[in-house]
Each structure stands twice: as C-alpha cells, then as structure tokens.
C-alpha cells in the first residue's frame, strides 16, 4: 500500500492514499506534518513524496524531508523483497 504526498496533480490515480499539497513553500511546510499523520493513519506501507522545487524558499522543507527520510533506504529494500 503506497501513499503519495504531492504538489503535482496526477499522482493520485494509482495511490492507496493521496494528499495534494500546496505549491507554496510556506503553506506546504505548514501542512506537511498533518499530511504525514494522515498517511500514517491510512496504514500505508510506504509514503512517497514527489520531488520539491530546489529554489531557496523550499530549502527548509527539503531539509526536513531529507532528515525524515534518513536511513529509509533499508525500509524500501525490505518492502521490495
């Protein structure tokens, strides 16, 4: 069961659960933890987040997501097996 958090439309079609996010960095940051909680309550096996813009105003959000995803590669590898 794959959940998707995305600021880009179109990813929701094949997702077990989906959360559409704002295109604004401040609003995205504000809504991020609620979206993650929503995906957690949906009992998703994995949460995929579409790549965010690399502009300066998105640095904080990108940093938070990188920290949250730290060491998640082993989780993904176990799900693929």
């Amino acid at each position: 069961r794959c959940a998707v958090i995305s600021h880009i439309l179109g990813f929701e079609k094949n997702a077990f659960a989906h959360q559409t996010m704002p295109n604004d960095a401040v609003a995205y940051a504000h809504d991020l933890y609620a979206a993650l909680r929503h995906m957690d309550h949906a009992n998703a096996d994995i949460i995929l987040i579409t790549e965010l813009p690399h502009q300066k105003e998105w640095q904080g959000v990108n940093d938070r997501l990188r920290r949250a995803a730290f060491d998640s590669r082993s989780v993904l590898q176990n799900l693929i097996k």
Side-chain angles (χ1 to χ4, degrees):
R1 294 181 307 230
C2 178
V4 176
I5 296 175
S6 177
H7 67 291
I8 303 167
L9 295 177
F11 283 91
E12 67 277 2
K13 294 176 185 172
N14 297 317
F16 166 75
H18 178 265
Q19 180 70 43
T20 301
M21 299 294 284
N23 283 321
D24 173 73
V26 173
Y28 191 106
H30 177 269
D31 295 353
L32 180 58
Y33 290 107
L36 290 168
R37 280 193 305 278
H38 175 70
M39 296 302 142
D40 190 41
H41 289 133
N43 292 319
D45 294 320
I46 189 167
I47 301 170
L48 300 178
I49 300 175
T50 56
E51 185 176 17
L52 298 175
H54 296 281
Q55 287 94 353
K56 186 176 182 178
E57 61 268 15
W58 287 89
Q59 275 183 325
V61 178
N62 279 309
D63 183 59
R64 282 187 225 165
L65 290 173
R66 265 192 302 280
R67 290 171 190 249
F70 180 76
D71 200 30
S72 62
R73 187 174 302 201
S74 61
V75 173
L76 181 58
Q77 288 172 344
N78 287 336
L79 287 172
I80 293 173
K81 289 182 182 179

